[in-house]
Amino acid sequence: GDIICRIKVVPLPFHAQAPQMVDLVKLPNSVVARRARRAHGIAMTTSVSGQVFSFDWTKAVQGFVAVAVLMQVPRYIVGFVALYCMGLISEIHRRARRQKLNLLALFHTAAAKFMLAQVAFRGLLGGVWHGSVTSLTGFTRAMLLKHLEEIFHEHILDGTLQDDELEHMSAVIFSGMDTNKSGRVSCSEFVHALTDDGDIDLRRMVRMFDNKNEEVQSKPVVKRAGSIMGK
């Protein structure tokens, strides 16, 4: 672009005097006299300063981008694209954002998951539908491996999953489930493994309805749940 140069000249006057000059002069009566002269006046010095301005498109774009990032403009652009410009995916995204948090509904869903986990545990043991679940011994790593063989049967047949790889998988899964390292996965451990990734797991459910937890019991939603249960 155009280059603009601004120059400012500032005069700085101050009083000065020249060095004394001595010479000899001849007077009319043939007498020689010594003469000393000193000149006085004003000396002038100047100082020059200025700035040079030029427009740089590269720096202008860099500054614009830095301001946009600082104001989180890219975040809003990506959010707008995700909400309105991706068809069915955007529709699902909008519906998920509009979904309201309902703790009571979460309690219902979590309780249903806990009961389904208990039924699944009885099924894994061969369909033991009678008696207390606490009296069941749990399943071993060999039983888990047997169930995994049925789950990944197709992948074993096509050669994608080898027997040693499946055994390693069962060892890793069983180690994560068997938290007390007893060699058997109990019903409680199985329920935790199945539901701990949810919004409300078994421990949070217990803490939420623990009468000794005054901080939680003071919350409006817990009071409402207590009124529903007649407390």
Side-chain angles (χ1 to χ4, degrees), residues 209 211 222-231:
F209 289 91
N211 291 330
V222 181
K223 290 182 178 178
R224 181 183 173 190
S227 64
I228 293 175
M229 294 182 294
K231 292 186 178 181

Side-chain angles (χ1 to χ4, degrees), residues 17-116:
Q17 59 183 5
Q20 183 177 2
M21 299 179 60
V22 179
D23 57 353
L24 298 176
V25 295
K26 187 175 181 181
L27 299 178
N29 55 0
S30 300
V31 177
V32 177
R34 182 174 177 271
R35 181 177 63 179
R37 295 182 298 178
R38 187 185 299 274
H40 296 270
I42 298 176
M44 186 75 69
T45 61
T46 60
S47 65
V48 180
S49 64
Q51 295 177 326
V52 178
F53 300 89
S54 64
F55 187 80
D56 191 337
W57 278 103
T58 302
K59 293 184 177 180
V61 172
Q62 290 177 350
F64 177 79
V65 171
V67 172
V69 172
L70 188 63
M71 297 180 65
Q72 298 185 349
V73 174
R75 173 188 175 187
Y76 295 110
I77 295 176
V78 172
F80 179 82
V81 172
L83 287 175
Y84 301 102
C85 303
M86 300 178 64
L88 180 60
I89 297 178
S90 296
E91 182 178 348
I92 297 173
H93 193 183
R94 289 198 303 272
R95 182 176 180 182
R97 284 175 62 92
R98 287 196 298 265
Q99 185 176 2
K100 295 181 179 180
L101 177 63
N102 189 336
L103 286 181
L104 291 178
L106 291 177
F107 292 151
H108 303 157
T109 304
K113 289 181 178 179
F114 299 153
M115 290 184 287
L116 286 175

